[in-house]
């Protein structure tokens, strides 16, 4: 193949095999900057909430119980709900038509003459005791304090699908930002060795903590 043919082939390639390192690292810095801006609040929240979760004695993660509320369910609607294919969900819907509840419906324990429903969520829990013969229901709502809410948000406990997706998004942003930061280490000509030593020492310390100081 002569030089003219080689030049033509190189010109026809959809991309160049060589990488412009300067442009590549500038792009990485730009992405790192924007990802840092996007993840800043998320990182602060999960750092703070993790600290509070690790020290539950700093601020009590308590709950306050509201006074029980008594409601009466309409007999025909009650009978229809009990005989439905999903009696627990049907009863939960009836209760919500009559009074406010905290949390999303989770479980139901239905016996011959009574039923117990439980709603759970970050913003509170609700227990409902229903007398299936009279239609009288006692509704007990418990509300968490801010510390308990932060704990549950950090763990994603009973927070719903959207919040769990937000946790996944946060983890993805932080992981991507960290990997780009690792790539940027290799642009530090005079600090690369020191940076890699620090990273290796951190990894060694992390492994040592797990091996020797966890039970």
């Amino acid at each position: 193949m002569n030089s003219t043919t080689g030049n033509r082939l190189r010109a026809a390639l959809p991309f160049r095999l060589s990488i412009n390192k300067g442009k590549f690292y500038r792009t990485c810095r730009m992405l790192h900057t924007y990802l840092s801006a996007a993840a800043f609040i998320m990182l602060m929240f999960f750092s703070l909430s993790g600290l509070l979760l690790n020290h539950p004695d700093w601020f009590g993660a308590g709950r306050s119980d509201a006074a029980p509320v008594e409601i009466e369910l309409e007999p025909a609607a009650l009978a229809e709900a009990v005989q439905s294919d999903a009696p627990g969900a049907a009863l939960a819907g009836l209760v919500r038509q009559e009074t406010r509840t905290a949390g999303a419906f989770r479980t139901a324990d239905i016996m011959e003459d009574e039923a117990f429903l439980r709603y759970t969520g970050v913003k509170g829990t609700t227990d409902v005791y229903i007398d299936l013969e009279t239609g009288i229901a006692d509704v007990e709502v418990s509300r968490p304090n801010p510390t308990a809410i932060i704990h549950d948000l950090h763990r994603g406990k009973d927070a719903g699908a959207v919040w769990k997706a937000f946790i996944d998004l946060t983890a993805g942003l932080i992981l991507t930002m960290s990997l780009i930061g690792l790539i940027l280490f290799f642009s530090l000509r005079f600090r690369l060795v020191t940076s890699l030593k620090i990273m290796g020492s951190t990894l060694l310390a992390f492994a040592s903590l797990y091996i020797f100081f966890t039970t």
Side-chain angles (χ1 to χ4, degrees), residues 63-146:
R63 293 178 175 270
S64 59
D65 298 328
V69 175
E70 184 179 283
I71 61 174
E72 184 174 357
L73 302 177
E74 202 274 324
L78 179 62
E80 182 181 354
V82 171
Q83 295 172 6
S84 66
D85 294 334
L91 288 172
L94 284 181
V95 171
R96 279 200 155 149
Q97 290 176 13
E98 299 294 332
T99 187
R100 295 184 64 181
T101 59
F105 169 68
R106 301 295 180 184
T107 61
D109 187 7
I110 302 175
M111 291 162 279
E112 184 176 348
D113 57 355
E114 62 181 358
F116 170 73
L117 310 178
R118 185 166 182 82
Y119 307 71
T120 61
V122 171
K123 298 177 182 178
T125 61
T126 304
D127 294 330
V128 182
Y129 304 87
I130 305 174
D131 187 325
L132 298 178
E133 294 183 348
T134 64
I136 300 297
D138 292 323
V139 182
E140 300 177 359
V141 177
S142 175
R143 298 283 184 179
N145 66 7

Side-chain angles (χ1 to χ4, degrees), residues 25-188:
Y25 285 130
R26 284 195 299 272
T27 302
C28 286
R29 290 189 187 94
M30 179 191 67
L31 291 174
H32 193 267
T33 299
Y34 291 150
L35 288 173
S36 299
F40 175 73
I41 298 298
M42 306 174 190
L43 187 58
M44 291 288 289
F45 172 78
F46 285 104
S47 297
L48 175 61
S49 58
L51 189 63
L52 292 178
L53 190 62
N54 199 42
H55 297 278
D57 54 317
W58 285 3
F59 304 96
R63 293 178 175 270
S64 59
D65 298 328
V69 175
E70 184 179 283
I71 61 174
E72 184 174 357
L73 302 177
E74 202 274 324
L78 179 62
E80 182 181 354
V82 171
Q83 295 172 6
S84 66
D85 294 334
L91 288 172
L94 284 181
V95 171
R96 279 200 155 149
Q97 290 176 13
E98 299 294 332
T99 187
R100 295 184 64 181
T101 59
F105 169 68
R106 301 295 180 184
T107 61
D109 187 7
I110 302 175
M111 291 162 279
E112 184 176 348
D113 57 355
E114 62 181 358
F116 170 73
L117 310 178
R118 185 166 182 82
Y119 307 71
T120 61
V122 171
K123 298 177 182 178
T125 61
T126 304
D127 294 330
V128 182
Y129 304 87
I130 305 174
D131 187 325
L132 298 178
E133 294 183 348
T134 64
I136 300 297
D138 292 323
V139 182
E140 300 177 359
V141 177
S142 175
R143 298 283 184 179
N145 66 7
T147 303
I149 292 176
I150 290 174
H151 286 182
D152 287 345
L153 287 176
H154 182 92
R155 295 178 294 191
K157 180 183 177 182
D158 296 328
V162 174
W163 182 264
K164 290 183 178 180
F166 174 73
I167 293 177
D168 291 339
L169 174 63
T170 301
L173 283 176
I174 295 174
L175 180 60
T176 303
M177 184 176 65
S178 300
L179 291 175
I180 293 176
L182 178 61
I183 292 174
L184 288 175
F185 281 170
F186 295 94
S187 69
L188 305 175

